[in-house]
Amino acid sequence: MIGSKAGRIALAGVAIAVCGGLALAQQARPPSYLKPDQWPDSIAILAPPPVDGSEAAKADRAAFEASRSLAGSPRWAQAIEDVQLFGPKAHRSFACAAGKAITPEATPVLSKMLDRLVIDAGGSTNKAKAKYSRTRPLIGHDDAPICVPREDWMKTNGSYPSGHSAAGWAWGLVLVELVPERATQISARARDFGDSRWICGVHFPSDVEAGRVMAAATVARLHADPAFMADMATAKAELAKAPAAEGCE
């Protein structure tokens, strides 16, 4: 656990950046595996976000505008569900992809592990978020629907890269390693989880892609962490005994 003042400030930043406005006080959040100074450096790894007026920026804006027509659709409903980052509700669709129940009862270590990955993967995006302070696509477009309530933090929290997308991609990478025979299903779910952020209207597609890059770097770094590797071994054993996921389409 991070006990220093700097560490507490860093984790508070993660709470805002990756929780999509979910109040940290709603429930106790888990500790990260890594200390903030061990997170991969997003400024060094990522290129800057697309420059206003560039073809890439125009494509980002076009994706935002086109996806507003999805409001009220089943894909929109999935984007709303994908706002969740902690606990069984957040893990349910990944459980379906993995074909195994992922719950505090069936897989206690894995369930906590996925929660901890949110802090590490999301935290890895903090430096670039602060440096670039990219304005989110919804700002200045007050009449455009988004899949979550508009909140003041959205005006100041950087859009690039997406911490939410980083968390979902980290889940996918870890679960593919644990259940390799379900690699296709898990990877597709992780992709859709990230895409839900620009479908929701709170990120651009390039934010989501950058989040995935940071997730890959963070999960690779975690493989050198003894506590993470011990949990991986336990999680694999838990999944071997876990029942099949229920309620999956």
Side-chain angles (χ1 to χ4, degrees):
M1 181 175 293
I2 299 169
S4 69
K5 181 178 180 181
R8 291 193 297 272
I9 291 172
L11 288 186
V14 175
I16 295 172
V18 304
C19 292
L22 297 177
L24 186 64
Q26 287 178 350
Q27 66 184 74
R29 296 305 188 214
S32 57
Y33 283 102
L34 304 174
K35 296 178 181 179
D37 62 4
Q38 293 177 312
W39 291 331
D41 187 338
S42 52
I43 295 174
I45 293 170
L46 299 173
V51 177
D52 288 347
S54 67
E55 292 303 312
K58 290 176 183 177
D60 270 348
R61 177 57 61 184
F64 171 78
E65 292 173 354
S67 56
R68 297 315 88 209
S69 65
L70 292 173
S73 70
R75 186 62 184 88
W76 190 264
Q78 183 61 59
I80 294 172
E81 289 294 319
D82 288 344
V83 171
Q84 295 286 339
L85 279 174
F86 294 96
K89 286 185 178 180
H91 305 157
R92 182 179 177 280
S93 62
F94 280 81
C96 288
K100 288 283 192 173
I102 301 176
T103 66
E105 296 75 27
T107 57
V109 171
L110 176 59
S111 295
K112 186 174 182 180
M113 186 179 190
L114 296 179
D115 285 347
R116 295 180 75 177
L117 282 171
V118 175
I119 307 300
D120 281 308
S124 76
T125 69
N126 282 356
K127 283 188 176 182
K129 275 181 173 288
K131 178 178 175 65
Y132 299 117
S133 296
R134 189 185 195 188
T135 302
R136 290 176 182 259
L138 65 136
I139 304 302
H141 299 266
D142 294 344
D143 294 332
I146 62 173
C147 82
V148 292
R150 291 173 181 263
E151 299 184 48
D152 286 343
W153 67 265
M154 296 175 180
K155 299 175 184 177
T156 56
N157 183 256
S159 189
Y160 179 92
S162 167
H164 216 106
S165 173
W169 199 248
W171 287 349
L173 291 171
V174 166
L175 288 171
V176 164
E177 188 169 346
L178 294 173
V179 194
E181 65 272 20
R182 301 282 292 183
T184 297
Q185 297 91 330
I186 294 167
S187 298
R189 173 81 277 266
R191 179 205 63 214
D192 286 348
F193 187 88
D195 287 348
S196 284
R197 300 310 284 164
W198 60 264
I199 289 170
C200 184
V202 294
H203 280 288
F204 291 110
S206 61
D207 303 333
V208 170
E209 289 298 328
R212 290 169 180 153
V213 171
M214 292 313 303
T218 303
V219 171
R221 171 61 182 83
L222 282 165
H223 278 72
D225 183 77
F228 173 81
M229 293 306 296
D231 282 352
M232 285 288 284
T234 303
K236 193 169 187 68
E238 287 179 343
L239 284 171
K241 298 178 181 179
E246 296 182 352
C248 302
E249 296 180 0

